[in-house]
Amino acid sequence: MTSPFTEEQQRFLRLLEVPVPGRLAGEGGAPSRAALPKAVAAAPPPREDPVFAAPPAPPRKPVTPAAPPTVPDASPLGDMAAQERRASVIAGLAWADLAARVSVCQDCPLGATRQHAVFGAGNPQGRWLFVGEAPGAEEDRRGEAFVGRAGQLLDAMLKAMGLERSRDVYIANVLKCRPPNNRDPLGPEVRECLPYLHRQIALIRPQVIVALGRFATQGLLQVDTPLNKLRGTVQHYGEIPVVITYHPAYLLRNPIDKRRVWEDLKRARQVFAETGRALPEAR
């Protein structure tokens, strides 16, 4: 019986058949112990502030104590001016300082539940940038991007394109910390983390960005358009072309869509070639 796939498609599908000895915790199924929040010491009870204590009443003349002054919300999620100042500071950081800030960031609740912040992986001088959603359980445990089953599949995708992670590509996520139980990112979490990704892009200056999945695409492009309406098009982050495809974790659950991904990756290679730089032969 004749195969419905071309020889090129068959070769790509064979490359994506990565043997995995077992299913890693945190990538579907029950959460690992690593996903459990760290113990947080209980804060000491607030001390009574003598400034706001009611003054003693003089004889036969009661005094009504003044109401305490209103304190503005200084939380990073509630103060737009603070958000702008924070983004401005991040936008001026060098690579090492940016990585150091991410490693200790506590600007959203995910800082209290992670094991490690995951800055990224690969070559920051590479011409390709692949952007995913958020770290998984194995990434959270090791502090590296795309090292679980989805990472193995991504490496196979890169190999099929003729690329190597350590040489040609940098890989980052919209969120630098793992959401508990691998839940979807929340809007405030994305808002807090995007300045880090924006600065990474400014420093890397990639030739092409490949957005992996819905959250990466919508976060980069600041749109709410469904993924299936953006696949097959070339979008732009500033002047940088963005090609959209499925996240490798999605392909682990829906391997039938690997052929569509190959079409997306060929489109990315074409866009790369059109920008005027040579590209190694696909394997």
Side-chain angles (χ1 to χ4, degrees):
M1 180 177 179
T2 304
S3 171
F5 303 111
T6 66
E7 181 178 347
E8 180 185 46
Q9 290 170 340
Q10 292 180 58
R11 183 168 64 253
F12 176 70
L13 295 175
R14 286 196 297 271
L15 280 168
L16 297 194
E17 291 173 359
V18 181
V20 179
R23 186 182 185 87
L24 291 177
E27 296 184 347
S32 69
R33 292 182 179 273
L36 298 179
K38 298 179 181 178
V40 180
R47 295 180 297 174
E48 183 177 353
D49 191 343
V51 173
F52 297 122
R60 297 186 298 277
K61 188 177 181 182
V63 177
T64 303
T70 301
V71 179
D73 181 4
S75 70
L77 300 181
D79 187 344
M80 292 304 296
Q83 285 281 334
E84 293 175 0
R85 290 193 298 271
R86 175 178 177 271
S88 178
V89 169
I90 292 172
L93 294 177
W95 187 264
D97 296 328
L98 183 66
R101 176 157 181 156
V102 168
S103 70
V104 297
C105 181
Q106 296 287 326
D107 290 342
C108 84
L110 295 182
T113 60
R114 71 172 185 236
Q115 287 193 69
H116 295 95
V118 179
F119 187 65
N123 181 6
Q125 296 181 340
R127 295 292 82 200
W128 291 81
L129 175 64
F130 281 66
V131 178
E133 172 185 312
E138 185 67 10
E139 288 81 6
D140 182 51
R141 185 181 71 82
R142 294 171 53 176
E144 300 177 44
F146 279 88
V147 292
R149 294 178 67 219
Q152 294 179 31
L153 182 53
L154 178 58
D155 285 343
M157 292 162 60
L158 296 178
K159 181 179 179 181
M161 296 176 72
L163 304 176
E164 293 182 11
R165 179 192 292 228
S166 61
R167 181 191 66 197
D168 307 295
V169 175
Y170 195 79
I171 305 167
N173 284 308
V174 171
L175 293 190
K176 308 306 184 190
C177 299
R178 181 196 180 207
N181 301 323
N182 286 0
R183 64 158 169 74
D184 288 344
L186 302 179
E189 297 163 354
V190 173
R191 187 165 61 245
E192 287 298 296
C193 243
L194 272 178
Y196 293 135
L197 179 61
H198 292 327
R199 185 55 180 162
Q200 284 179 304
I201 295 173
L203 291 169
I204 296 169
R205 293 183 297 173
Q207 191 171 332
V208 174
I209 298 174
V210 178
L212 303 170
R214 175 167 64 95
F215 286 100
T217 300
Q218 294 178 345
L220 277 171
L221 303 180
Q222 293 293 282
V223 298
D224 58 4
T225 309
L227 179 68
N228 286 338
K229 289 190 176 181
L230 292 172
R231 272 195 64 255
T233 68
V234 177
Q235 302 295 315
H236 285 82
Y237 174 95
E239 296 182 354
I240 304 172
V242 179
V243 177
I244 297 101
T245 192
Y246 295 115
H247 194 284
Y250 168 85
L251 292 181
L252 292 174
R253 302 187 300 269
N254 302 275
I256 194 173
D257 283 328
K258 289 178 181 178
R259 182 169 56 170
R260 294 182 179 180
V261 170
W262 180 231
E263 297 304 318
D264 297 335
L265 298 183
K266 288 198 299 183
R267 181 176 299 106
R269 284 177 54 87
Q270 179 181 354
V271 170
F272 188 99
E274 289 172 352
T275 60
R277 298 203 181 206
L279 191 65
E281 289 296 323
R283 301 178 185 178

